[in-house]
Amino acid sequence: PERAALRRLAVFAGGFDLAAAEAVATGEPVERSSVLDLIASLVDKSLLQVDTGGITARYGMLETVRAYAGRRLPEAEEAQAKTDHALHYLHLAEVAAAHFSAARQVEWRERLEADDDNLRAAFTTLIGARELATEALRFGAAVSKFWNSRGLYGDEVELLEAALDRPEAASSTPSRGAALAAAGYLMFRRGALARAKGYLDEAI
């Protein structure tokens, strides 16, 4: 179980907290209830590092350890770990989005800033998975509020456009409408007014 957990944790782009680790590491032969103990053992062996200075403890790997563990991740197990990783961060982004116009927006922005690399990796995974086209649209709509709060209108908007451009995402659904509205607003803030209008017209 310890080896399986270490392999799966190699899919993180940067640090992660316990909830993220449980989402990704759980699966035969790793039980969710054992993930904390496995992480503690990996920390004791210096295969994971721990930072307790934030709101919650965060864990990470040296790049050499990440590369070593990643090379031992079978293809099917890697695909599942990346999907679990992406769906975890989709949930986190959607929960955070509800707070970006409320009193706790500073706290949630800090939480997402700590996971910025993981958010991008998760979005890329969703965009590349044909069966997760709807989830990619949901992710783009949710994370756009975080990007807007940080004034990020470059590569971020292009990721959202990539999600919208997938053939599997072309249907006129509420998820597509929300993603189009988000892309239109980000393009407006970017100063690309014609493209913003196109997205917003389609969203309506």
Side-chain angles (χ1 to χ4, degrees):
E2 200 170 281
R3 291 186 181 123
L6 183 65
R7 290 195 306 267
R8 294 167 190 168
L9 295 175
V11 305
F12 282 97
F16 53 90
D17 61 15
L18 177 60
E22 289 175 338
V24 171
T26 299
E28 182 64 30
V30 178
E31 297 182 2
R32 181 176 291 268
S33 60
S34 70
V35 171
L36 179 58
D37 289 339
L38 293 173
I39 285 177
S41 180
L42 291 168
V43 169
D44 288 342
K45 294 179 173 66
S46 298
L47 292 170
L48 287 181
Q49 299 173 314
V50 60
D51 178 3
T52 57
I55 299 173
T56 60
R58 288 185 64 83
Y59 305 92
M61 296 182 188
L62 294 173
E63 284 306 313
T64 50
V65 175
R66 189 189 311 279
Y68 178 86
R71 286 197 300 269
R72 280 150 184 77
L73 191 58
E75 186 175 342
E77 189 177 8
E78 180 181 17
Q80 185 61 58
K82 286 186 174 181
T83 297
D84 292 340
H85 172 274
L87 294 178
H88 171 77
Y89 284 103
L90 167 61
H91 174 71
L92 182 68
E94 290 186 325
V95 171
H99 293 279
F100 269 84
S101 58
R104 296 176 62 195
Q105 64 175 288
V106 173
E107 173 193 336
W108 278 96
R109 183 167 61 245
E110 290 175 354
R111 287 185 66 175
L112 293 191
E113 283 174 350
D115 273 312
D116 189 42
D117 289 339
N118 281 311
L119 290 169
R120 293 170 190 271
F123 200 6
T124 300
T125 296
L126 293 175
I127 292 167
R130 296 174 59 184
E131 70 278 11
L132 296 174
T134 297
E135 286 78 3
L137 295 175
R138 287 168 49 199
F139 194 103
V143 80
S144 69
K145 296 186 178 182
F146 167 59
W147 289 339
N148 181 57
S149 74
R150 295 185 63 199
L152 300 175
Y153 312 117
D155 294 344
E156 298 77 15
V157 186
E158 290 166 15
L159 282 172
L160 185 46
E161 287 184 305
L164 287 164
D165 287 344
R166 290 303 304 260
E168 300 83 9
S171 299
S172 297
T173 62
S175 296
R176 182 171 178 82
L180 286 164
Y185 186 72
L186 293 176
M187 279 296 182
F188 170 75
R189 296 297 301 270
R190 187 175 177 174
L193 302 186
R195 292 170 73 183
K197 184 178 185 302
Y199 284 130
L200 294 172
D201 283 345
E202 187 182 345
I204 292 168

